[in-house]
Amino acid sequence: MEDFKAKAIVRGNMVQPEHDIALQDTDRLQGRAALVNNVKAAVALAGAVRSTLGPRGLDKMLVDSDGSSLVTNDGVTVLETAQIEHPTARLLIAASSSQDKVARDGTTTTVVLTAELLQNALEMVRSGIHPSVVINGYNIAQKECLRELDSLSRDPSSKSELESVVSTSLAGKIGDSLGEHLTALAIRAAEVISKEDGGDDLERLRVKRLQVSGGSSSDSELVSGLVIAKTRLDQSTPNSRKGGRVAIIDGGLENPKLEIDAEIEVRSAGVLQGFHKRTMENLQEQVSHLLSLGVDLLIVRDGVADEAISMLREAGITAYRRFERNDLEMISRLTGSNIVRGIGRLRGDDVGTYENRSENVTAGVSHTAIEGSKGGAMTVIIRGSSPQIREECERAFDDAIGVAFRLTRDSRMLPGGGASQTHLARHLRTFAPANKGREQIAIEGYAAALEVIPRSLAENAGLSPIDEVLELSASQASDPDNGSWIGLNAWTGEKARMDKLGILDPLFVVSNSISGATEAAISVLRINDVLWAKQDPLTPDWKEGEDQED
Ligand code: ADP
Ligand code: MG
């Protein structure tokens, strides 16, 4: 990019000695060189993930600088892991992360679509259309698409159709039977947490993922409550209890530590005994404090002194130690307890309540499940023989529950397999002429960009992208009633009704990918637009030959 700038400035000065005209010329070339450069970055980035799109997309193996590796088919994982610094590329990655956050799926689609929108924008700009006209046209097209998707969508007509919407999001990431299993778990968990209050992150806050080695991924299961791979400190305390009061300590129940080089002068047996007595008193004070607050369940991040174990038992308190911070936070949310730095600082209103605590052996490992009074939590126990398999299974479950949970709030669905985008492209082509002026061209450019989705799905399935897109469009047009639900089955290559095959995407995933991609493309165009600002948008003002990019 630095190179382009330098060239443009030199050229500007040489060609046109008049100062202001030279500057104007420079600005224009800089603007276009910047756009070319930004589009190149976007296209390169999209190229990196495009081959993962769809059920027959390829997996990518990501290798870290320390040699550790990760195999994934997940676009956003690829992008977030890659170390990319180009500002436009960062913007695309941000768009894909935001898609992940809002919709939990459709991340690859968003990036691929953004790059295609930019590429088409560049072509229009080269043919003399001002970027602000492209931006206008794209905005009009986006609005029309969102409206059109709303009217194309419908609610699932059966539980099995709902399951198809969730399992489509897993297609190609994991095997079919595991996909069905995870789909069932995700829908069950989503139903439970949909009754809770909370924002978009509820399915992350209320559903814990616990990886347990061994077994196969299809042994993964869902259990109610927060499950932690730990048992109580003292096996002679009760292994379950229905309801009670819980204190959470970000610290321990331990003896005050002696400084390493502190010297205790032992002149007589009495000194040592006195010291021991004081530490015992200190521990007993802490236990009595817990007892006075009605605590029967103590959870600490650090350790519990051996001497305190019997004191706790006598006080009827069951204790757990060495909890991870995340688990402490989850229990805190479920029970309404505050996490306090030391038992001495604990006040009555820091103590929360739980509904149930029980210990079971799940997947061959002892676990404790805790259910809070402030709402339910679920834990999905992810099984698998290797850490990579478990990670991929967890990511697949993340997608499934993300989609399943959002479907409890808006269950409308659309045909997958490129059908929705093909429908939109067809619709925009009839809609474009109704618009004024050059925006029409931008709307058509937008329509063509949408077809990158069926095109990539076909390409990744080893089919001819051009023929498939044409045939798909023709099949849709041949049936005015339900044609728009015809998409490409990437497994067989047939063009068929996607609702009949259960290849279905949630409306919120498709709409968000369209608005996210449009916004990202427009913000890249705007960067360049600043440099174009001086020009009249209606004057075509440069010729193809002026390009500097190669
Ligand atoms: P993203 O990260 O965008 O979700 P995916 O790799 O998950 O990317 O691919 C999603 C796309 O794959 C959607 O457009 C969906 O409709 C499509 N798809 C899923 N299953 C099939 C199938 N069996 N045939 C064709 N397309 C499918
Ligand atoms: Mg997906």
Side-chain angles (χ1 to χ4, degrees):
M1 182 163 171
E2 292 313 312
D3 235 343
F4 296 137
K5 265 189 202 162
K7 259 196 240 164
I9 288 163
V10 169
R11 206 182 115 169
N13 284 337
M14 289 196 311
V15 171
Q16 187 53 271
E18 242 175 277
H19 201 64
D20 51 352
I21 298 176
L23 270 182
Q24 225 179 5
D25 195 35
T26 304
D27 281 356
R28 193 178 69 204
L29 288 170
Q30 272 186 330
R32 188 131 57 113
L35 180 59
V36 169
N37 191 303
N38 287 335
V39 172
K40 274 189 180 171
V43 169
L45 186 74
V49 293
R50 190 174 151 154
S51 60
T52 71
L53 186 77
R56 301 189 65 183
L58 297 171
D59 288 353
K60 298 264 174 200
M61 181 183 244
L62 308 174
V63 182
D64 212 355
S65 50
D66 67 1
S68 63
S69 68
L70 164 73
V71 176
T72 183
N73 171 289
D74 191 31
V76 76
T77 309
V78 174
L79 294 178
E80 285 179 348
T81 313
Q83 288 160 2
I84 294 170
E85 273 159 25
H86 193 285
T88 305
R90 299 272 4 139
L91 201 139
L92 261 70
I93 294 171
S96 128
S97 300
S98 138
Q99 174 79 17
D100 186 47
K101 191 165 181 303
V102 177
R104 294 282 189 269
D105 195 17
T107 54
T108 312
T109 303
T110 306
V111 171
V112 170
L113 186 57
T114 311
E116 195 73 7
L117 285 169
L118 281 172
Q119 194 151 33
N120 289 1
L122 177 62
E123 265 167 43
M124 289 184 260
V125 168
R126 277 174 169 163
S127 71
I129 296 173
H130 194 278
S132 67
V133 174
V134 177
I135 292 174
N136 278 348
Y138 276 13
N139 270 323
I140 296 169
Q142 173 197 224
K143 211 168 137 223
E144 185 62 17
C145 283
L146 296 180
R147 221 181 48 76
E148 192 58 25
L149 286 177
D150 264 13
S151 70
L152 180 65
S153 68
R154 66 168 171 83
D155 280 322
S157 59
S158 62
K159 173 103 191 226
S160 94
E161 222 167 43
L162 176 71
E163 284 167 354
S164 297
V165 185
V166 177
S167 65
T168 300
S169 74
L170 301 181
K173 306 215 183 298
I174 46 170
D176 277 354
S177 68
L178 179 57
E180 272 165 34
H181 181 61
L182 293 180
T183 293
L185 298 186
I187 290 180
R188 245 172 63 213
E191 273 165 7
V192 173
I193 55 167
S194 70
K195 298 183 185 83
E196 308 286 335
D197 294 333
D200 277 353
D201 253 359
L202 208 59
E203 102 275 7
R204 295 216 164 139
L205 301 178
R206 299 275 185 182
V207 183
K208 177 181 166 165
R209 285 73 160 157
L210 178 67
Q211 292 191 14
V212 173
S213 69
S216 97
S217 297
S218 56
D219 298 329
S220 299
E221 57 184 308
L222 185 71
V223 288
S224 120
L226 176 64
V227 176
I228 298 124
K230 286 202 184 295
T231 63
R232 61 203 186 281
L233 178 60
D234 176 1
Q235 295 298 313
S236 61
T237 52
N239 77 338
S240 71
R241 184 171 165 136
K242 279 243 168 291
R245 283 166 64 78
V246 53
I248 308 175
I249 307 298
D250 184 13
L253 173 53
E254 286 167 308
N255 295 321
K257 293 230 163 41
L258 282 178
E259 289 297 318
I260 297 288
D261 44 356
E263 283 176 31
I264 315 170
E265 244 182 279
V266 185
R267 288 208 205 87
S268 66
V271 174
L272 203 56
Q273 270 167 8
F275 180 74
H276 182 68
K277 190 162 159 263
R278 276 198 306 284
T279 58
M280 293 296 275
E281 278 167 5
N282 178 287
L283 290 173
Q284 186 60 57
E285 258 168 43
Q286 297 187 58
V287 172
S288 303
H289 183 53
L290 291 171
L291 192 60
S292 71
L293 296 175
V295 171
D296 61 80
L297 176 60
L298 172 69
I299 295 174
V300 302
R301 190 170 61 85
D302 297 336
V304 172
D306 286 347
E307 295 88 341
I309 295 177
S310 62
M311 300 176 188
L312 287 166
R313 187 188 313 142
E314 270 161 39
I317 299 173
T318 304
Y320 288 81
R321 64 180 170 184
R322 308 220 186 281
F323 262 48
E324 290 185 4
R325 182 82 207 182
N326 284 351
D327 288 334
L328 291 184
E329 280 168 9
M330 222 164 161
I331 297 173
S332 154
R333 270 194 301 271
L334 291 176
T335 60
S337 313
N338 294 324
I339 303 175
V340 176
R341 291 194 65 83
I343 291 176
R345 302 186 184 193
L346 194 69
R347 301 280 155 270
D349 49 9
D350 294 324
V351 178
T353 51
Y354 64 92
E355 298 279 282
N356 194 35
R357 171 184 63 87
S358 60
E359 290 195 11
N360 306 293
V361 177
T362 318
V365 185
S366 298
H367 291 101
T368 300
I370 294 173
E371 283 171 81
S373 58
K374 294 268 187 263
M378 315 281 297
T379 302
V380 61
I381 298 174
I382 309 262
R383 309 295 310 277
S385 50
S386 78
Q388 279 92 342
I389 291 175
R390 291 193 295 273
E391 283 294 323
E392 191 67 359
C393 181
E394 180 171 334
R395 270 196 301 278
F397 178 79
D398 279 349
D399 280 6
I401 187 157
V403 167
F405 172 57
R406 281 158 184 73
L407 284 167
T408 64
R409 295 181 168 181
D410 179 358
S411 63
R412 288 174 293 168
M413 55 170 213
L414 287 165
S420 295
Q421 293 85 0
T422 303
H423 166 78
L424 291 176
R426 290 192 310 123
H427 174 77
L428 286 179
R429 285 182 182 123
T430 58
F431 163 82
N435 288 270
K436 68 171 168 72
R438 297 181 167 204
E439 270 84 0
Q440 281 182 31
I441 300 169
I443 296 169
E444 273 160 17
Y446 192 99
L450 288 166
E451 287 176 335
V452 74
I453 302 304
R455 201 158 65 231
S456 306
L457 289 172
E459 208 164 69
N460 293 343
L463 303 163
S464 152
I466 297 174
D467 296 336
E468 292 304 318
V469 168
L470 287 174
E471 282 174 33
L472 194 54
S473 197
S475 320
Q476 285 202 350
S478 70
D479 174 0
D481 295 330
N482 295 308
S484 299
W485 284 74
I486 299 176
L488 174 70
N489 179 351
W491 296 114
T492 60
E494 79 184 306
K495 265 76 57 193
R497 282 274 295 273
M498 295 285 101
D499 44 347
K500 301 267 187 278
L501 296 179
I503 303 173
L504 299 161
D505 289 324
L507 170 66
F508 61 80
V509 170
V510 181
S511 310
N512 266 301
S513 70
I514 285 187
S515 49
T518 311
E519 272 162 33
I522 285 179
S523 51
V524 174
L525 289 172
R526 271 198 215 292
I527 300 170
N528 307 283
D529 200 31
V530 173
L531 298 163
W532 266 293
K534 289 180 203 157
Q535 296 170 340
D536 177 358
L538 292 175
T539 320
D541 53 355
W542 59 76
K543 294 168 217 82
E544 185 58 28
E546 283 180 8
D547 268 336
Q548 295 272 313
E549 77 266 29
D550 297 315

